[in-house]
Structure formats: structure tokens, C-alpha cells
Amino acid sequence: MPATPRKVRALALALAGLGITASTMSALPATAATGGSTSDATSTTTAKKTQKTARVSAQRRVANRVLSARDIAMRQRGDAYAYGAAGPDRFDCSGLVRYSYSRAGLSVPRTSSAQAGQARRIAKKDMRSGDLMFFYGSGGVYHAAIFLRWSRGHAVMVHSPGSGQRVRVAVPWTSAWFAGTVRRA
């Protein structure tokens, strides 16, 4: 019997010299018993977790940029309207959206119609702050704004309304608008 503890101690010292710890050794029999399939399953599970983490991280990054775009647009309140202008001190409606989003690191087209075409359409009830509002008529989309919040059943937006006016916070003058977002699912 006295020889067994000596052998265990000698084996432990030899393994320690190789940098293998007892906790590593406790995992080896389970892996060896399955013929390596646990290792494959573990690496697959790890890869899936890594992909999910990367996807969630990308979604958070985009969500933070959308909120940043909203904040940038809010800082433009009081700036003058100018047809075809995209900042930094004069804007038309789509110019305000493009300027705000591009400063936040998100690429959107220049015109409200093109912005509406790129955005993913969502239900009004699913809008989150920083999402986009597109106003339409018989000629298609003619105005764009950035959604802020709901207040007493009305959407509140920041937009550059038109000639002789300034960037401001307002509620829509019509119900002929739809919601869009650059967030993906």
C-alpha cells in the first residue's frame, strides 16, 4: 500500500512538470470515453455561442448608432431649412436624416424616397426611438423624419419641415406615413 501514494505523487509531479493540472486530468476520461465526439460537440456549441454573441453585439452596435443619430438630429433643432441641403447648419428633411445617420456611422441614401426604399418597413406600434417616419401621397414618399416617442397616442418626431421653417420637434400633420428602421430583425 505505501507504494501507491508514492506512485500517485510521482505521477502528479511529472504531470505538473508538463503543465497539466489535476482539473485537466478530470476532464480527460469523459472525452476519451466518447471517442472525441464531446470535443466536436463542444467546439460546435462554442462556435454557435460565438456567432450568437457576435450577432447580438452587432445588433447592439446598430441600436446605439440609431440612438446616436436621433441625438445628433435633436442637436440640429433651430437650424434653417434649405432645399437639397444636408448640413451641417442647413437641412431639408432627408438631408437631416442622412446627416444624422452618417455622423452616427450608418449609411443611408440622400433622398427620402431612397431612404424609404432602403429601410425595413415596420409596424408603427413597433417603432423605437431613432426609427424613421416616411410621409407619402399620390406621388410617393415626399418627407422623412426621425421618430422620438409616442405621446398621448401621437408620434413625436424631429424633422426639417419646409421652406422658411427650422428643424424642430413636432407631431405629424397627417396619418399618411409609415415606419421604417435600419435595425435588422
Side-chain angles (χ1 to χ4, degrees):
M1 285 286 188
T4 305
R6 258 185 258 156
K7 287 181 182 178
V8 170
R9 187 176 38 207
L11 179 61
L13 288 172
L15 292 174
L18 294 172
I20 299 173
T21 63
S23 62
T24 305
M25 291 300 293
S26 65
L28 290 178
T31 305
T34 61
S37 64
T38 301
S39 174
D40 294 342
T42 302
S43 64
T44 302
T45 302
T46 303
K48 286 181 182 178
K49 285 181 182 178
T50 302
Q51 289 172 345
K52 182 178 179 181
T53 301
R55 187 174 58 251
V56 168
S57 178
Q59 289 171 343
R60 281 190 188 129
R61 201 169 31 257
V62 170
N64 287 337
R65 288 180 179 173
V66 167
L67 292 176
S68 180
R70 175 208 59 199
D71 295 342
I72 291 166
M74 288 295 286
R75 287 195 294 271
Q76 305 318 306
R77 286 179 296 173
D79 287 351
Y81 175 90
Y83 181 79
D89 58 353
R90 295 182 169 279
F91 300 94
D92 67 5
C93 64
S94 58
L96 177 64
V97 171
R98 181 180 176 123
Y99 176 82
S100 301
Y101 271 71
S102 67
R103 292 286 305 252
L106 295 167
S107 177
V108 296
R110 174 61 186 92
T111 66
S112 56
S113 179
Q115 290 168 355
Q118 178 182 319
R120 183 173 59 90
R121 200 163 176 165
I122 58 173
K124 290 179 181 180
K125 67 178 180 59
D126 294 332
M127 291 181 74
R128 292 184 277 174
S129 191
D131 284 339
L132 301 172
M133 300 170 65
F134 298 105
F135 295 80
Y136 61 90
S138 60
V141 173
Y142 64 88
H143 188 69
I146 298 176
F147 176 77
L148 299 175
R149 66 185 176 280
W150 290 101
S151 176
R152 298 185 183 127
H154 297 284
V156 179
M157 63 187 178
V158 59
H159 71 136
S160 186
S163 187
Q165 299 181 53
R166 297 185 174 276
V167 174
R168 68 175 185 230
V169 172
V171 296
W173 59 92
T174 179
S175 61
W177 62 273
F178 62 90
T181 186
V182 298
R183 295 177 175 103
R184 298 292 170 211

